[in-house]
Amino acid sequence: MTRRSELLDAAYAYALEHGLAGMSLRPLARATGTSPRVLLYLFGSKDELVGEILARGRQDQLTLLDSLRGAPFDEVVERLWEHISAAERRGTVKLFFEAYVASLSDDPGPWRDFAHQSVRDWLRLLREAQPAEAPDVAEARATRTLALLRGLLLDLLACGEPQRLRRGLDHVQ
């Protein structure tokens, strides 16, 4: 593994714990055992580093989605929820929403298109899990389910209460 790859993994772990908003290179460098100068040399700029951290997180998301391809709809939703709502993934979920909201700003910078791409990827998986449905019905169900999952995740971050949210998901399916 190259030093650049090692630092990217360490920066990603740092972002999962501390987020990206207002991230400063000095504390990041200190936490990853390097210097701001080395980070800038290896990644070009802070924005490029943030973009690579987001790409790293996005790759994890795509790996999850790919692992669910071919499963029936209810199983896809169940496995998605179990994976993304697990306590050890709170940092990932926070980072996801941080990037999602930032990509909607007037000047999204390194977050550009994050939300749009995420919506498209998740909808594709949820539509494909309904091969027997008419395309418009599959699209509507996928849209409703994606909105529900994201809303439940926001509540999970805000309040905890995984059992209540699980019951909410079960009641809708």
Side-chain angles (χ1 to χ4, degrees):
M1 180 178 277
T2 67
R3 179 69 174 144
R4 187 179 193 284
S5 296
E6 289 173 3
L7 286 174
L8 179 58
D9 285 347
Y12 180 62
Y14 179 89
L16 291 177
E17 185 175 340
H18 301 283
L20 291 171
M23 182 179 76
S24 174
L25 288 181
R26 287 187 201 288
L28 173 62
R30 193 170 28 259
T32 57
T34 191
S35 69
R37 180 178 289 176
V38 169
L39 289 173
L40 291 173
Y41 173 76
L42 292 173
F43 296 99
S45 70
K46 180 181 166 186
D47 277 356
E48 288 180 46
L49 174 58
V50 167
E52 294 225 18
I53 290 169
L54 292 174
R56 169 74 168 67
R58 187 151 165 61
Q59 187 55 52
D60 287 351
Q61 184 182 107
L62 292 173
T63 299
L64 167 64
L65 297 180
D66 285 344
S67 75
L68 299 173
R69 297 222 183 277
F73 186 82
D74 289 341
E75 182 181 334
V76 167
V77 174
E78 173 70 24
R79 288 176 53 198
L80 272 173
W81 178 254
E82 289 304 315
H83 182 84
I84 60 180
S85 68
E88 64 270 14
R89 292 198 180 74
R90 292 298 188 277
T92 304
V93 174
K94 286 179 184 178
L95 185 64
F96 169 82
F97 280 116
E98 181 181 358
Y100 194 91
V101 170
S103 76
L104 303 175
S105 70
D106 290 337
D107 181 23
W111 291 272
R112 182 172 309 286
D113 293 328
F114 184 89
H116 179 80
Q117 290 173 352
S118 176
V119 168
R120 294 290 144 223
D121 292 336
W122 287 63
L123 285 177
R124 184 179 317 111
L125 171 71
L126 292 168
R127 279 192 316 264
E128 289 172 0
Q130 306 172 75
E133 294 290 345
D136 60 329
V137 172
E139 178 83 16
R141 188 176 185 205
T143 298
R144 182 188 71 206
T145 302
L146 180 57
L148 173 65
L149 287 170
R150 292 213 169 121
L152 291 172
L153 283 173
L154 282 171
D155 277 9
L156 184 61
L157 292 176
C159 303
E161 304 178 33
Q163 294 82 13
R164 175 182 65 83
L165 298 168
R166 176 71 227 200
R167 287 190 304 273
L169 179 65
D170 289 343
H171 182 71
V172 173
Q173 288 191 34

